[in-house]
């Protein structure tokens, strides 16, 4: 047997061995490195590389052989797929060149790149698409690669495609298994009523791990609950989580805000260079490739779930994007379930308050009223004027107790204040204030508007009481007017006094005005105060109808 046939047999044996070796591997990084090492060995090349393709045919990984770590670092960033490398990406067929620089498509090498002459390349096809390209350079012991080298590389590339397809199927099965387990775990956490923050942390962690990302975040409207006031990174997991957690992010001028408005997932090739991103957040998290998807509840976006890799890291593939979208749906379910639980708890409290209010109204008040009527009748029949006077005084105390109980009922059960009862409640409150404070107080109430605002009776009574309390304590007024009137699409509650007023620019002590502002804000209304020193103060509360 001559040396040529012996060499061919050795190459065939090595190809058989390589096929078996590749087929037994289940770790993709290990198999990819093994492929390029085998290619260099079979073709007797000095250098080799396997460019793994990502979205739009861009190289997302570049596994090399024959280069030291120092040489790799000196060359700099990964190639993007131009020149000869790009030619094979766009036309995935075997390519042999005596000298790379002789081809018109060659664009040269970056600084610090070792010189390379002869070239051999072939595509790796896996699952019907071009997974990557094998590049070999600098044939050892000959001027150029020959047809046998090309044939051997094509066999190896075919074996590599089969091995990669097997690994993809294996990884897909494992990923689906992990995905189903993660979804089950999150579903159980939601149904068992676990703390919302703990559920969202699980969502962010599992989304990051299954997408193979370095960092994940959940961004929701700020503490005020109003997206116009800004967003907050409420959950951060993975790299730089401590730096990112709690960070405030503007609604305008951030991709999170854009995603919430559009309710569409957004994929960023590099967040660090994208003008749409909020750069303080990007710099804190060293964020590069990024996927952001909206958290949607009842057709309304209430936040975003994002996963990211560091600058220069791998871009996200379509299956990873779909996975993040799935976990965003899980986070949305968690948020909606938590909201529903809060509503149920609130309804339970309201039911209890309803029961207490009904008992007070139908039981205690009626009993007190009957006692008062009996005492009044006894006083009228009593010949002793002193006893009659004391009985009348006791009846007055009973009346005051009844008024206090009614006020408690207004707070416990707004539903008791039907139509004209809001008007009556305001009249009673104003009369009581006028009697206790000595401030002549008049009511100017639109009865139709009072009936329309009946569902907000408790809040309206409370803000009126707070405003009148401020008049009594601070205004030194002689007169006061409480008005409830309609103005375009608003109902306006206005409390005016002719007191001493105050300097609106000066720091205010006490909680009165702060309480009023916060209560009106909680009602969804607008609070305005006008005051002139020595002339009086007007408090205006406008509520949308």
């Amino acid at each position: 047997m001559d040396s040529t046939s012996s060499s061919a047999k050795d190459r065939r044996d090595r190809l058989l061995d390589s096929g078996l070796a590749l087929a037994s591997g289940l770790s993709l990084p290990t198999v990819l490195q093994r492929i390029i090492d085998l290619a260099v060995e079979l073709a007797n090349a000095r250098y080799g590389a396997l460019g793994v393709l990502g979205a739009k045919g861009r190289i997302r990984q570049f596994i090399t052989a024959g280069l030291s770590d120092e040489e790799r670092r000196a060359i700099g960033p990964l190639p993007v797929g131009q020149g000869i490398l790009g030619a094979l990406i766009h036309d995935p067929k075997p390519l042999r060149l005596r000298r790379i620089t002789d081809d018109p498509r060659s664009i040269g090498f970056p600084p610090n790149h070792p010189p390379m002459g002869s070239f051999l390349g072939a595509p790796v096809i896996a699952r019907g698409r071009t997974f990557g390209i094998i590049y070999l350079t600098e044939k050892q012991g000959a001027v150029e690669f020959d047809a046998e080298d090309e044939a051997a590389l094509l066999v190896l590339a075919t074996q590599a495609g089969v091995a990669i397809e097997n690994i993809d199927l294996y990884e897909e099965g494992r990923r689906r298994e992990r995905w189903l387990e993660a979804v089950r775990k999150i579903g159980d956490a939601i149904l068992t009523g676990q703390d919302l923050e703990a559920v969202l942390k699980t969502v962010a962690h599992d989304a990051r791990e299954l997408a193979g990302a370095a960092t994940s975040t959940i961004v929701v409207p700020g503490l005020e609950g109003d997206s116009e006031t800004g967003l907050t990174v409420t959950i951060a997991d993975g790299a730089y989580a401590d730096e990112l957690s709690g960070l405030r992010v503007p609604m305008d001028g951030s991709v999170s805000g854009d995603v919430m408005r559009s309710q569409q997932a957004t994929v960023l090739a590099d967040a660090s260079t994208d003008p749409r991103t909020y750069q303080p957040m990007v710099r804190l998290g060293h964020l590069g490739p990024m996927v952001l998807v909206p958290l949607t509840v009842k057709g309304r976006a209430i936040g975003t779930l994002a996963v990211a890799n560091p600058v220069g890291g791998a871009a996200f593939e379509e299956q990873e994007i779909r996975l993040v979208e799935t976990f965003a749906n899980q986070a949305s379910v968690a948020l909606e379930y938590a909201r529903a639980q809060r509503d149920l708890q609130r309804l339970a409290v309201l039911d209890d308050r309803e029961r207490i209010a009904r008992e007070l109204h139908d039981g205690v008040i009626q009993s007190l009223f009957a006692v008062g009527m009996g005492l009044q009748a006894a006083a009228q029949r009593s010949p002793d004027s002193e006893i009659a006077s004391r009985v009348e005084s006791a009846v007055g105390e009973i009346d005051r107790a009844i008024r206090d109980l009614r006020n408690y009922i207004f707070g416990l059960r707004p539903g008791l204040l039907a139509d004209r009862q809001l008007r009556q409640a305001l009249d009673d409150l104003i009369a009581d204030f006028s009697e206790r404070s000595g401030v002549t107080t008049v009511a100017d109430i639109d009865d139709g508007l009072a009936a329309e605002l009946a569902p907000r009776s408790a809040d309206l009574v409370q803000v009126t009481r707070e405003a009148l309390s401020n008049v009594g304590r601070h205004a030194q007024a002689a007169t006061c007017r409480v008005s409830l009137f309609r103005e375009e699409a608003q109902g306006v509650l206005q409390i005016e006094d002719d007191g001493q007023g105050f300097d609106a620019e000066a720091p205010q002590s006490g909680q009165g005005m702060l309480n009023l502002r916060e209560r009106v804000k909680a009602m969804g209304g607008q609070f305005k105060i006008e005051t002139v020193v020595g002339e009086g103060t007007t408090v205006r509360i406008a509520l949308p109808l």
Side-chain angles (χ1 to χ4, degrees), residues 53-68:
L53 304 183
K56 299 180 180 179
R58 294 178 64 86
I59 294 176
R60 65 184 180 95
Q61 281 182 272
F62 205 66
I63 298 99
T64 61
L67 291 173
S68 66

Side-chain angles (χ1 to χ4, degrees), residues 81-95 97 103-106 119 133 135:
Q82 296 178 340
I84 297 298
L85 303 188
L88 272 164
I89 293 172
H90 300 301
D91 186 17
K93 295 185 296 189
L95 176 64
L97 299 172
D103 192 289
R105 295 168 293 185
S106 174
F119 176 87
I133 309 292
Y135 306 104

Side-chain angles (χ1 to χ4, degrees), residues 424-437:
Q424 186 61 52
L426 291 174
D427 283 343
D428 288 348
L429 180 63
I430 291 165
D432 183 62
F433 169 75
S434 183
E435 180 183 343
R436 286 188 294 101
S437 67

Side-chain angles (χ1 to χ4, degrees), residues 303-543:
T304 61
L305 169 65
V307 297
N309 279 326
V311 177
F316 294 99
E317 298 296 314
E318 184 63 29
Q319 63 181 3
E320 293 157 347
I321 296 169
R322 289 199 304 271
L323 186 145
V324 178
E325 289 177 329
T326 298
F327 274 85
N329 292 336
Q330 290 293 312
S332 299
V333 170
L335 290 167
E336 174 62 10
Y337 183 79
R339 184 201 63 76
Q341 288 296 103
R342 287 195 300 269
D343 283 351
L344 286 174
Q345 292 168 2
R346 182 174 61 83
L347 287 173
V349 171
L350 289 177
D351 284 346
D352 202 36
R353 290 167 64 179
E354 176 91 2
R355 178 186 58 78
I356 295 170
R358 188 184 303 112
E359 290 176 359
L360 287 173
H361 183 269
D362 298 342
V364 178
I365 285 183
Q366 300 308 320
S367 297
L368 287 173
F369 187 74
V371 170
M373 292 289 288
L375 287 173
Q376 276 189 320
Q380 289 171 359
R381 290 194 298 268
S382 174
D384 190 324
S385 61
E386 183 179 351
I387 291 176
S389 175
R390 289 183 179 180
V391 170
E392 287 292 346
S393 177
V395 170
E397 288 296 326
I398 291 174
D399 284 343
R400 278 190 286 275
I402 289 174
R403 283 200 300 272
D404 287 344
L405 282 172
R406 281 178 175 160
N407 286 336
Y408 297 148
I409 291 172
F410 297 153
L412 285 170
R413 188 186 175 199
L416 282 176
L417 295 174
D419 296 352
R420 62 184 180 82
Q421 288 180 304
L422 172 59
R423 169 65 189 264
Q424 186 61 52
L426 291 174
D427 283 343
D428 288 348
L429 180 63
I430 291 165
D432 183 62
F433 169 75
S434 183
E435 180 183 343
R436 286 188 294 101
S437 67
V439 178
T440 301
T441 307
V442 296
D444 183 7
I445 309 295
D446 181 327
D447 287 336
L449 179 60
E452 189 173 342
L453 290 173
R456 307 187 193 183
S457 299
D459 287 323
L460 286 167
V461 169
Q462 292 294 348
V463 296
T464 304
R465 179 182 288 113
E466 185 75 44
L468 289 176
S469 176
N470 287 337
V471 173
R473 288 199 304 267
H474 307 299
Q476 298 182 19
T479 63
C480 178
R481 175 181 292 272
V482 177
S483 307
L484 183 66
F485 57 92
R486 197 181 300 268
E487 188 176 87
E488 296 179 348
Q490 293 181 316
V492 178
L493 175 65
Q494 192 162 281
I495 299 94
E496 308 164 79
D497 69 70
D498 62 357
Q500 64 181 354
F502 59 91
D503 182 0
E505 300 297 324
Q508 302 298 315
S509 60
Q511 289 289 309
M513 287 301 171
L514 178 61
N515 290 343
L516 270 174
R517 288 182 189 277
E518 290 181 349
R519 187 178 288 273
V520 173
K521 182 179 179 181
M523 294 167 66
Q526 296 177 330
F527 179 86
K528 184 179 180 182
I529 186 164
E530 296 177 351
T531 183
V532 177
V533 175
E535 296 185 16
T537 300
T538 298
V539 171
R540 177 186 167 91
I541 296 158
L543 299 173

